Structure formats: structure tokens, C-alpha cells
Amino acid sequence: MNRCIRAARAVTMKDGEGILENFAMIHDGSTILETGCWTDLKKDFSGEVDDLGEVTVVPGLVNAHVHLGLSHLRGKTVQGQGFTSWVKSLIANPMYIPEMDAVRKAVAGMLESGTVFCADIATANVINIATVMDELGMGFCACCEAMGLQVPEEGAKLFPQKKFINGKVVGSGHALYSTSAELLRAVKKADDEAGLPFPMHLAENAEEDEIVAAGTGVFAEMLRGAGMLADCGNSGITPVEYADSLGLLDGSTLVVHCVRVTDSDIAILEERNVNVCLCPRSNEYIGEGRAPWEKILKSGINTCLGTDSIASNYDLNMWNELEYLLENLEISLSAREALSLVTLNGARALKTDNSYGSLEKGKRAVFATVPSRLEGLLFA
Ligand SMILES: [Zn+2]
């Protein structure tokens, strides 16, 4: 039996559509059949109506960067002391023991706050975490993160080849300093061949700048001691320039953070049609500074938001991420531009916009409602 969602208004993110008043969306429980004005749609509709009242409906939110495997580490890391101190405090904890109860709770909390799709990054337990997301109905890219110096032996897969109902397994790269150029290229190639997005952390902090430019620094020595320092040092160039020289940057790549990007780095990202995921609260939590949000947004780069893990944030709530960005942003965005950061742009970057990212016929019938505290920020 078809049902209908009704609300005072909606921002559907459909091409060319603004704010719709007296919104209605007819669905069959999983797929959207029709959207429009209730006055028009009610003429031919006889099913049950779920009236949400005086709220704004938007597409279900996309969290483009999270590490659910770290869900047991809330409050267990240092804040505001920079990346090296944060990593030291992170690895002092048991990181790779799966705490699936914590993962389950985290996914349930994300769903409750309106997130319907996420890109989860995991260096271990990828399949276990994907299984939890699948069971709870979270759409996902379960990103199997390559880290280290060697490409797996010939014949070994770069990421697990398992099928799920609500998501897919994707290969991702950790970072230029921790993952060999050869391995990053191999994972990128495997993703390209499978039509998958390729996420990687890029230009996150000063430590990364120094390692790529000169191969030096406290963090470089820490990585060297652990046998983890990649072959990227002493190129004298920026992380974005180095990633570009490796052929890693194109329209299928999602680079995460971009705190330390120059104007010419932004021009490279734009020219290569790269997708950017900003994690504003994580960068603030760790004490890495802030990305040049305004320049990135003005450049026209497809930009989305992610919370990063609970080990470097206060919660995994995408509304809170957007609120933080809007409150600190020095340019103003239209409601549609702001909402695209947590809906359509993330879906595009993760190659899932055929099912998520906007409310239109044929896509998943999943939506969120704008919390009242954000109404003023979005629609003022
Ligand atoms: Zn991350």
C-alpha cells in the first residue's frame, strides 16, 4: 500500500526546484513514486498520510567521512594539541578490537539524526561493520583503507568482494605519508575499474605538508620507527601537487580534509574535477586549523561534509556539522547550497546519487527534517 509524507515545506534538491510549500511525497515504503504539492497530489491519492506538520523536509543526509570502527573511543583522545599528539593518544587505545555494540549504537544514532548514507573508513573489520550498517538499513560505502608500503601479493584483492543490500565495499587510501604511491595507485585503479569512488585523506595538517615536502618532522620519525613512512618525502611540493603527480586526482576521487590547500592547490582540485569532503569540527577538535572553506565553496568544487570519527568529534550528527560550518563561515550560502553539502554533493561524490541525495521519483524514500535550531540559519 502506498503512503504519503506531508510537510509544510521541502527542499528536494531536484534540479531547478526551489523551496516547495505544502509538500507531499508518495512512496511505496522503499522508493519515491511522486513528489509535489499536496493540493495537486491528493486528488489521485487514497492511501495513508503521514502528516509531519510545520517542518521542512529534505533528502536523507549523507555523512561523507566517518570511521565507525573507532566508535568505542569517544573522549579517549586529546583535543586541540595538533595531529601528532592526537595520533599518539589515539594509538594508546585498543584500536582494532571490534566493539560491535559501539558500532551498532553509533549507526543507530546517525540514522536517528537523519543520516541515511555514509562513507565509513576501516582498516580492519570492514565486513563486520558493513554487516551492521546493512542490517540497520544505513546506505553505505564500506571503505577498506589501504595503509602501508606494499601492494598485497599478486592475486590478493585490494578490498573484499562481498555484496550487500544497502551498500558496497570500496577501496580507499589512508594518506600520502602512510601509504606507498604504488599501493595508492593500485587501489585507485581497482576502484576505477569497478566504477567506485576512491576516498583518501589529503592535506589535513602541517605534519603532512612537511613529510611530503621534505620527509622530516616528529611525525615522520614516528612513522619511520613503525616502518610506516611512505616514499613521498622531499618532493618540495604540496600534498595536492604530489597526489596530482601520482595521477590520483580525478572526478572519481574524494579527498578528505583539505585544511592545508593553497590557491593553486584549489585550482588543481577544480581542474581535475575532484570531490572534496570537509570535516570542520574534527579539524577544530584535533587543533589542525580550518580549511579555506569559502575559497573551496566559491571555486565550484563538488564539496560535501563528514563528521570523521567520534575519536575526533563530539558526535556523528550531520546537522551539528552543518550548523558549525554555517556559524563560522564568512560567506552566506542559499538554503539549497548549504543543504547540498549534507545531501546531494555527498551522494554525487560517493557515486550513489542514483538512489540518494535528492527527493525525486525513483530514488530511495528516505528523508530528514530540518531541526528548528537550523531553520533560522538556513532560511533567514
Ligand atoms: Zn578520517
Side-chain angles (χ1 to χ4, degrees):
M1 186 64 167
N2 295 343
R3 294 181 78 94
C4 181
I5 307 284
R6 261 205 73 194
R9 17 186 201 272
V11 181
T12 62
M13 302 306 299
K14 202 169 154 181
D15 253 356
E17 201 162 82
I19 299 171
L20 292 187
E21 302 290 336
N22 196 15
F23 175 71
M25 177 174 92
I26 299 170
H27 65 96
D28 65 5
S30 61
T31 306
I32 298 172
L33 303 174
E34 216 169 347
T35 61
C37 177
W38 174 235
T39 316
D40 301 329
L41 294 187
K42 74 176 174 191
K43 291 173 194 149
D44 300 313
F45 182 73
S46 55
E48 275 198 56
V49 178
D50 299 305
D51 196 338
L52 306 179
E54 273 302 310
V55 295
T56 307
V57 165
V58 299
L61 308 184
V62 177
N63 184 343
H65 190 74
V66 63
H67 300 249
L68 288 165
L70 304 180
S71 295
H72 56 297
L73 300 180
R74 179 191 289 269
K76 300 256 171 78
T77 52
V78 296
Q79 280 185 46
Q81 297 176 31
F83 187 65
T84 303
S85 300
W86 179 81
V87 169
K88 281 183 184 164
S89 72
L90 177 74
I91 60 178
N93 292 284
M95 279 173 63
Y96 298 122
I97 301 164
E99 295 208 16
M100 300 318 292
D101 277 355
V103 172
R104 194 170 282 276
K105 267 188 207 151
V107 175
M110 288 166 73
L111 287 163
E112 214 167 278
S113 58
T115 297
V116 299
F117 193 97
C118 71
D120 178 59
I121 312 290
T123 38
N125 308 305
V126 176
I127 295 301
N128 289 341
I129 296 169
T131 302
V132 170
M133 293 191 282
D134 213 33
E135 281 171 12
L136 295 179
M138 173 71 79
F140 62 89
C141 285
C143 306
C144 180
E145 187 174 65
M147 201 194 278
L149 306 187
Q150 283 170 342
V151 175
E153 282 173 34
E154 203 181 339
K157 300 280 191 230
L158 290 159
F159 49 89
Q161 312 286 307
K162 188 167 187 274
K163 296 236 178 298
F164 292 93
I165 297 166
N166 293 308
K168 50 202 171 187
V169 184
V170 166
S172 66
H174 180 251
L176 295 172
Y177 52 78
S178 59
T179 318
S180 72
E182 196 189 353
L183 182 49
L184 288 169
R185 281 178 166 149
V187 175
K188 164 78 177 140
K189 186 164 172 271
D191 280 339
D192 282 350
E193 285 170 0
L196 298 169
F198 171 70
M200 70 175 290
H201 300 100
L202 186 69
E204 184 176 354
N205 46 59
E207 286 88 334
E208 181 177 346
D209 282 354
E210 190 179 349
I211 294 177
V212 172
T216 55
V218 175
F219 190 56
E221 290 318 310
M222 214 173 115
L223 287 169
R224 201 189 309 275
M228 294 272 302
L229 184 63
D231 47 356
C232 64
N234 74 38
S235 59
I237 55 179
T238 68
V240 169
E241 288 167 342
Y242 182 60
D244 192 38
S245 77
L246 298 180
L248 296 174
L249 302 182
D250 62 29
S252 293
T253 302
L254 174 60
V255 293
V256 180
H257 293 301
C258 290
V259 174
R260 316 263 310 174
V261 286
T262 63
D263 290 357
S264 84
D265 287 338
I266 294 172
I268 292 170
L269 296 172
E270 187 192 352
E271 194 173 315
R272 299 281 182 260
N273 214 12
V274 172
N275 306 280
V276 168
C277 174
L278 301 172
C279 302
R281 289 189 302 162
S282 171
N283 304 144
E284 183 271 333
Y285 182 108
I286 294 176
E288 296 173 314
R290 116 215 223 304
W293 304 322
E294 294 80 1
K295 286 181 179 175
I296 292 171
L297 291 170
K298 277 186 183 165
S299 74
I301 290 170
N302 183 50
T303 307
C304 51
L305 296 186
T307 56
D308 216 331
S309 83
I310 198 65
S312 64
N313 207 333
Y314 312 92
D315 55 63
L316 304 179
N317 183 322
M318 288 302 290
W319 287 121
N320 291 345
E321 205 63 43
L322 182 62
E323 185 179 20
Y324 176 84
L325 180 80
L326 295 178
E327 279 184 338
N328 292 285
L329 197 64
E330 288 165 9
I331 52 172
S332 61
L333 302 179
S334 69
R336 187 190 164 96
E337 285 167 337
L339 289 165
S340 70
L341 302 172
V342 292
T343 57
L344 190 57
N345 295 2
R348 281 185 176 147
L350 296 165
K351 295 181 181 279
T352 191
D353 53 318
N354 57 339
S355 301
Y356 295 90
S358 63
L359 297 175
E360 53 190 306
K361 192 175 173 179
K363 293 201 183 186
R364 297 258 179 131
V366 283
F367 63 92
T369 54
V370 175
S372 51
R373 68 181 194 281
L374 266 100
E375 287 273 348
L377 272 174
L378 286 168
F379 302 106

